[in-house]
Every structure is written in structure tokens, then in C-alpha cells.
């Protein structure tokens, strides 16, 4: 009996050792799958799926076999969301704060580190496909930012391509249509060290098939990587579910919901399933971590061609609806199946997490040798349940905000910027622009609104001066957090904005004051930058 107990103890010890070792495997293959504008409540595991006429069996399975996140954050729109994930930095540090349109040039500064360029330090093979939306300049391409290879790359949001389609915009003159065709870059591919090549235009005939074509190449690339012993990083970005949702011909009318949006969600889930099935069939699942998430919150301004969020606000706002996104992590043998996390984490944290898994330290200097700061926290403690989460707060920014328009610390959230407070109103065919992303930047007077997101995730009840549960004491905590953040800007100033955005009216008196200051400074031989920032900087 004693021998059996010893044997049992030894076996249990071996199991524990194996699990600890399994959770510290270095240099796993890393696959990031990003969909566009998909709503927090669209997937079955988030209460959507069949109940919303858009079954998502593949993503649901991924969640059941891995970890589902309930407080995972992107950014309020496409470009900053993607920049934050790739750089691990608050978008205003890189200058990637707002959506870029075709013909504007510029893009992700060459000095920035990306997931790919950091993972190259650990000898990863790196691959990018799908929506980029981080600029048009040669220096801003994926292959200039650490990716060995890029395929099926599109530079803009889907509706940017429809600008040049006469069937979509018959009111445009031939000259206007021609202008958009001229400045709109098509589908790109390329290799590191070379220039991106345009292999096809995005046309009315192929726009709906962009994701299907991309995944065909993704599967071929997985076959190639599966034969190699080197670790690899793949960043796969769907064009779906950005408005206008144009399902592939084989998915038109195939969803129970019978809408273009629900058809497109079903297509996106199908493509995720193809990728996951390939990973399993290649026998590399136990050494491959897959992260699925979304760049930003649901875009309620374009309802009904939009995702669903139960939260207040919409894409483009500092409310929960603007930034809280679905996220799933999958790694057989490493991440506990069916596990769930309510910890505060987000796309910013992928940088520190992937670097940790690869066994490399984050750089202290940017790629030009200047000091820099990351805003990324290693999520390993959350993924593997190995200790206290490193992050306890989240800062929310709209495209023009340097100081955050809202802050979450633990279960409490302070909101200063109430832009787009209500989002689309049910029953309205044309939501007023003040209700969504296009609304004014409207700031509360003196003190923020305070919400308890555990009790009130929809941000309906301001507790700051409520006589029953007033939370005025939270102001001290939030003010200190913002002050600490602002100190980092003073130490290392943010880069110039890389895209156009409205930064306030230029009144005559303001212009005269600026000119007077410039004159005084010039007399003292101090040079000031020009009044307007060149978008190609």
C-alpha cells in the first residue's frame, strides 16, 4: 500500500512538473487572427450566434477549447486598433490615431517596433495577410516592419474601395470616379527587402471574395511552415465585418438571419474554422498559440449593417461599446480548456506577451535609437493562471485625445468625454450624427461621471455624487493615473499624427496668436514646426 502511495505521489508530481513545463514552453508558433468591426455580442459564446441568426460553431469551439475574455479592449477605430496591437503602444505615441483614407500617403513610422520585428529577434519566420490600414508609404508596409512576406494585403477599410464603383456612387462624375481609381491601391504582395507589388485591383467582382482568396494562401503558407522546425508568426486580418458587408457568393443568403451582415459573420467563422482545422491536421497544435480578436467596438452608426454590442456607445467613442471587443486564446495543453477571464487585458498587451513567449526582451530604444516606452503588459499570468494579472487599468482615447477621455481602474470607470453617448436609437432609419462617432467631443464639467462596471456595465448610473453611494473619492485615484501617464509624454513626446483629423476650429484670433508667437521665437532664433502637420511625416 505504501509503495502504491509513493508511486501515486511520484505520478502526481510528474504531472505537476509536466504542466509547469508545458506552461513555460518557449518559442511557440504564434497566429493572430483579427476580424474587422465584429460586434462583442455576435459570436455564440458571447450570447449571439444562433440566437442572432449567425451561427459561429468554429469560434465557439475555439473558446470551449481555450480561454474566453470578457474585459478585452481594442481601440475605438480601425487604424489605432491595429497600430496598438502591432506596436504595443497607445496609438498617439506612434501618431496612428485615426483612420487613413486612400491618397493620403504616410503611415506607421519606420522607427516603430512591431510584433514581427521584435519576434525576428527570436528568429521567427513572419507573415502578414489581409487588411493593413496603417499607411500607403513604402516605409509603412508590413515588409518594412519585420514581416518576411505579405500576401493579399489591402490598405483600407472596405467602403473606401466602393468609392470608385459607379454602381455604388452613380452621382459621381466620371472625373471623380477616375480620381478615386487613381489614388486607390489594390491588392498587394511582397517580400522583406523589396517593394510591395500590386497584383490586382479591388473590383466589384472580387471585393466580396477578398477573405476567401486570402485564406487559400494562408492554408498554403501553413503547409510550408508546418514542414519547418523554425517558429513562425502569422498575422491574419479579415476584411469582414466592416461595412459594407459583402458576403462571398457561396455564403449569400446562407445564414438563418438572411442579412448581408449575418452572412458575412458566418463566412468569417467558416474561414476561422479552415485555419484551425489546418493547424490540427498538421500536428502543430500543441506548439501553436492562436489569438482571435477584433480591432474596435461595433459600428452602430451604420446599423443594420453592423455588429451588436450590449454596451453604451459605439465605435469612435470612449464608452465601453467603442473599445470592448471579443477575444479568444487557444493553445492545447497550455491554456485550460473552457477557461474564462474577466481580467482587464487588451490588444496592447499582445506585444509583451508574445515577446515573453519568444524569450526576448522588449527594446528600450526605437529602431532609430531614440528612447521609447511601451504600454504593453505580459498576459501570461492570465493565460496560464500563474499569478496576479499585471494590468489593472485601461485608458480610452478618441482620435484627437492625448489625455484619455475615460479611464478604467478595476471595476470603476471615469468618463470625461461623452461623445456619441447613445449610439443608434432603435427604430431610427438615420441616427443623428451627434449620437455616434461623428458626434461632438463633449466633456463633462469639473468632474467625471463614475460608473461601477461590475454593477452597471452599460454605464447608465453616475455614482460620483449619488447620495446613496457617492464615489467622489475615486477622483483622486483617476487623477493620479492620468498624471502618471502624462509624465511619460513629457519624457518621450508622441510622434506627429500620421493621418488627417480635425483638431478644432482655427479662429482668427487663435491664428494671429500663433503667428505672433512664431515671430517672437524666430527673433530668438528658435524654430517652430509648421502650423499644419504633413501627413507623410
Amino acid at each position: 500500500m505504501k509503495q502504491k502511495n509513493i508511486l501515486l505521489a511520484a505520478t502526481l508530481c510528474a504531472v505537476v512538473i509536466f504542466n509547469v513545463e508545458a506552461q513555460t514552453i518557449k518559442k511557440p508558433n504564434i497566429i493572430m487572427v483579427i476580424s474587422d468591426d465584429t460586434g462583442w455580442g455576435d459570436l455564440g459564446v458571447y450570447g449571439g450566434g444562433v440566437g442572432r441568426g449567425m451561427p459561429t460553431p468554429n469560434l465557439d469551439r475555439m473558446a470551449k477549447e481555450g480561454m474566453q475574455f470578457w474585459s478585452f479592449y481594442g481601440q475605438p477605430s480601425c487604424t489605432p486598433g491595429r497600430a496598438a496591437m502591432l506596436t504595443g503602444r497607445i496609438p498617439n505615441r506612434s501618431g496612428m490615431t485615426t483612420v487613413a483614407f486612400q491618397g493620403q500617403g504616410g503611415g506607421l513610422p519606420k522607427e516603430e517596433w512591431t510584433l514581427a520585428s521584435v519576434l525576428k529577434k527570436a528568429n521567427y519566420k513572419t507573415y502578414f495577410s489581409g487588411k493593413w490600414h496603417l499607411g500607403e508609404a513604402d516605409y509603412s508596409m508590413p515588409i518594412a516592419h519585420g514581416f518576411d512576406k505579405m500576401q493579399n494585403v489591402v490598405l483600407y477599410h472596405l467602403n473606401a474601395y466602393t468609392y470608385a464603383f459607379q454602381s455604388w456612387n452613380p452621382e459621381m462624375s466620371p472625373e471623380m470616379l477616375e480620381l478615386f481609381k487613381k489614388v486607390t491601391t489594390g491588392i498587394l504582395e511582397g517580400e522583406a527587402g523589396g517593394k510591395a507589388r500590386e497584383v490586382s485591383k479591388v473590383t466589384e467582382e472580387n471585393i466580396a471574395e477578398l477573405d476567401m482568396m486570402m485564406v487559400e494562401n494562408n492554408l498554403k503558407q501553413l503547409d510550408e511552415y508546418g514542414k519547418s522546425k523554425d517558429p513562425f508568426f502569422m498575422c491574419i486580418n479579415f476584411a469582414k465585418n466592416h461595412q459594407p458587408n459583402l458576403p462571398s457568393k457561396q455564403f449569400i443568403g446562407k445564414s438563418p438571419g438572411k442579412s448581408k451582415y449575418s452572412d458575412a459573420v458566418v463566412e468569417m467563422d467558416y474561414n476561422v474554422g479552415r485555419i484551425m482545422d489546418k493547424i490540427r491536421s498538421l500536428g502543430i497544435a500543441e506548439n501553436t498559440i492562436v489569438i482571435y480578436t477584433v480591432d474596435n467596438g461595433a459600428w452602430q452608426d451604420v446599423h443594420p449593417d453592423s455588429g451588436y454590442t450590449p454596451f453604451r456607445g459605439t465605435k469612435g467613442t470612449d464608452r465601453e461599446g467603442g473599445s470592448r471587443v471579443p477575444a479568444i486564446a487557444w493553445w492545447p495543453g497550455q491554456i485550460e480548456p473552457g477557461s474564462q477571464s474577466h481580467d482587464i487585458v487588451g490588444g496592447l498587451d499582445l506585444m509583451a506577451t508574445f515577446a515573453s513567449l519568444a524569450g526576448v526582451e522588449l527594446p528600450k530604444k526605437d529602431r532609430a535609437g531614440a528612447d521609447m516606452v511601451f504600454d504593453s503588459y505580459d498576459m501570461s499570468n492570465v493565460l496560464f493562471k500563474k499569478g496576479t494579472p499585471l494590468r489593472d487599468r485601461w485608458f480610452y482615447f478618441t482620435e484627437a485625445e492625448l489625455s484619455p477621455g475615460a479611464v478604467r481602474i478595476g471595476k470603476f470607470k471615469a468618463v470625461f468625454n461623452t461623445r456619441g453617448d447613445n449610439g443608434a436609437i432603435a427604430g431610427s432609419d438615420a441616427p443623428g450624427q451627434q449620437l455616434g462617432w461623428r458626434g461632438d467631443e463633449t466633456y463633462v464639467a469639473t468632474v467625471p461621471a463614475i460608473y461601477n462596471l461590475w454593477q452597471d456595465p452599460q454605464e447608465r448610473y453616475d455614482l460620483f455624487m449619488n447620495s446613496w453611494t457617492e464615489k467622489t473619492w475615486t477622483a483622486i485615484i483617476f487623477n493620479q493615473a492620468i498624471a502618471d501617464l502624462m509624465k511619460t509624454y513629457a519624457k518621450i513626446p508622441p510622434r506627429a499624427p500620421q493621418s488627417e483629423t480635425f483638431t478644432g476650429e482655427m479662429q482668427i484670433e487663435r491664428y494671429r496668436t500663433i503667428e505672433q508667437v512664431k515671430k517672437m521665437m524666430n527673433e530668438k532664433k528658435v524654430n517652430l514646426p509648421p502650423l499644419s502637420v504633413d501627413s507623410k511625416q
Side-chain angles (χ1 to χ4, degrees):
M1 187 69 176
K2 186 175 181 181
Q3 283 183 327
K4 287 184 177 179
N5 288 338
I6 293 172
L7 181 61
L8 178 61
T11 302
L12 289 173
C13 183
V15 169
V16 169
I17 292 172
F18 170 78
N19 286 338
V20 170
E21 287 299 315
Q23 292 178 1
T24 55
I25 287 176
K26 294 298 183 183
K27 293 190 178 183
N29 306 316
I30 300 171
I31 300 178
M32 221 169 109
V33 180
I34 312 298
S35 63
D36 199 2
D37 282 13
T38 309
W40 192 91
D42 289 346
L43 312 185
V45 290
Y46 285 92
V50 174
R52 297 200 57 241
M54 51 186 80
T56 55
N58 295 295
L59 284 161
D60 295 351
R61 177 184 175 184
M62 185 179 174
K64 290 173 184 175
E65 294 177 354
M67 176 175 283
Q68 179 180 3
F69 296 91
W70 294 90
S71 290
F72 195 98
Y73 291 93
Q75 300 294 321
S77 64
C78 303
T79 295
R82 292 164 190 280
M85 281 189 276
L86 276 171
T87 66
R89 283 157 50 85
I90 292 170
N92 57 41
R93 295 198 197 277
S94 63
M96 304 301 293
T97 58
T98 190
V99 173
F101 290 85
Q102 64 261 56
Q104 291 184 327
L108 188 64
K110 58 182 179 294
E111 297 86 1
E112 289 290 325
W113 288 98
T114 67
L115 293 171
S117 53
V118 168
L119 289 174
K120 290 301 291 182
K121 289 175 170 287
N123 298 315
Y124 272 67
K125 294 183 177 180
T126 54
Y127 174 89
F128 185 92
S129 68
K131 182 180 177 181
W132 178 240
H133 216 180
L134 295 175
E136 297 174 309
D138 289 341
Y139 66 76
S140 72
M141 291 291 106
I143 51 175
H145 279 282
F147 289 98
D148 299 326
K149 182 178 180 179
M150 69 184 212
Q151 285 184 304
N152 300 90
V153 172
V154 291
L155 299 184
Y156 325 108
H157 43 290
L158 273 183
N159 58 305
Y161 294 100
T162 63
Y163 298 160
F165 297 168
Q166 189 170 23
S167 62
W168 283 74
N169 297 295
E171 70 275 19
M172 278 193 186
S173 68
E175 293 78 16
M176 293 174 71
L177 287 168
E178 190 58 36
L179 169 64
F180 277 108
K181 288 180 181 179
K182 183 178 179 180
V183 299
T184 303
T185 303
I187 302 169
L188 300 174
E189 65 178 28
E191 298 78 33
K195 285 194 173 185
R197 303 181 296 274
E198 185 178 76
V199 295
S200 172
K201 290 292 185 183
V202 176
T203 65
E204 293 186 72
E205 290 72 34
N206 68 18
I207 189 171
E209 307 301 326
L210 292 175
D211 288 349
M212 298 296 290
M213 294 189 296
M214 176 187 74
V215 174
E216 287 296 327
N217 282 325
N218 295 160
L219 301 182
K220 292 175 184 176
Q221 190 62 52
L222 276 167
D223 277 328
E224 181 182 324
Y225 282 156
K227 299 172 185 175
S228 172
K229 294 183 179 180
D230 294 324
F232 64 83
F233 168 54
M234 295 181 72
C235 186
I236 300 171
N237 300 263
F238 294 117
K240 306 287 191 307
N241 300 100
H242 196 287
Q243 176 267 345
N245 277 278
L246 301 170
S248 167
K249 58 186 176 184
Q250 68 187 81
F251 285 92
I252 295 174
K254 295 299 176 65
S255 70
K258 305 298 181 188
S259 71
K260 289 183 176 180
Y261 186 84
S262 58
D263 289 348
V265 169
V266 170
E267 177 194 337
M268 186 270 291
D269 178 78
Y270 167 76
N271 279 321
V272 170
R274 294 170 73 195
I275 294 166
M276 299 301 291
D277 286 345
K278 175 61 74 172
I279 295 168
R280 296 182 183 103
S281 70
L282 289 171
I284 59 173
E286 292 187 357
N287 197 40
T288 302
I289 181 171
V290 181
I291 301 286
Y292 164 81
T293 190
V294 182
D295 50 356
N296 51 254
W299 193 8
Q300 294 292 287
D301 292 331
V302 295
H303 180 83
D305 192 23
S306 67
Y308 166 71
T309 177
F311 302 110
R312 190 171 183 174
T314 181
K315 176 180 179 178
T317 73
D318 288 326
R319 293 295 189 180
E320 290 297 285
S323 295
R324 205 186 292 205
V325 295
I328 301 166
W330 179 92
W331 190 0
Q334 314 299 312
I335 295 174
E336 181 184 337
S339 54
Q340 301 189 19
S341 170
H342 291 272
D343 298 305
I344 301 171
V345 286
L348 281 169
D349 299 326
L350 299 178
M351 173 64 86
T353 306
F354 293 170
S356 174
L357 293 175
V360 296
E361 292 186 5
L362 290 181
K364 300 292 192 298
K365 306 278 187 180
D366 70 14
R367 293 171 74 187
D371 290 340
M372 68 176 303
V373 61
F374 287 98
D375 302 287
S376 188
Y377 290 82
D378 184 0
M379 296 193 305
S380 296
N381 288 358
V382 175
L383 289 171
F384 309 125
K385 299 185 176 181
K386 291 177 63 177
T388 304
L390 301 182
R391 179 187 288 283
D392 69 346
R393 64 196 59 189
W394 193 264
F395 296 106
Y396 308 70
F397 302 89
T398 59
E399 62 275 4
E401 289 178 329
L402 187 61
S403 176
V407 182
R408 177 180 178 180
I409 300 179
K411 63 185 177 182
F412 290 106
K413 181 177 180 180
V415 177
F416 302 91
N417 180 5
T418 59
R419 172 208 249 178
D421 240 358
N422 296 311
I425 294 177
S428 171
D429 292 329
Q433 70 175 42
Q434 76 280 7
L435 301 178
W437 190 359
R438 296 171 296 164
D440 297 335
E441 300 272 14
T442 305
Y443 292 89
V444 295
T446 310
V447 295
I450 300 293
Y451 302 94
N452 182 329
L453 293 180
W454 286 6
Q455 297 174 345
D456 177 27
Q458 292 182 319
E459 302 170 76
R460 297 175 65 190
Y461 305 103
D462 178 8
L463 301 176
F464 191 82
M465 291 184 176
N466 181 294
S467 61
W468 179 250
T469 59
E470 64 89 9
K471 304 295 181 187
T472 52
W473 56 268
T474 60
I476 299 170
I477 297 171
F478 286 116
N479 289 342
Q480 184 60 55
I482 293 171
D484 291 342
L485 174 67
M486 299 306 286
K487 288 176 185 175
T488 68
Y489 296 144
K491 184 178 180 181
I492 306 174
R495 303 194 196 281
Q498 301 299 305
S499 297
E500 295 177 7
T501 186
F502 180 71
T503 56
E505 69 265 7
M506 178 55 70
Q507 297 175 346
I508 294 174
E509 286 304 313
R510 181 184 175 198
Y511 178 79
R512 286 176 174 169
T513 300
I514 292 173
E515 289 300 302
Q516 288 173 352
V517 170
K518 287 174 68 176
K519 181 179 179 181
M520 292 169 60
M521 298 298 285
N522 287 336
E523 289 174 352
K524 295 181 179 181
K525 307 299 183 185
V526 177
N527 294 323
L528 290 179
L531 190 59
S532 62
V533 176
D534 183 356
S535 65
K536 295 181 175 59
Q537 262 184 259

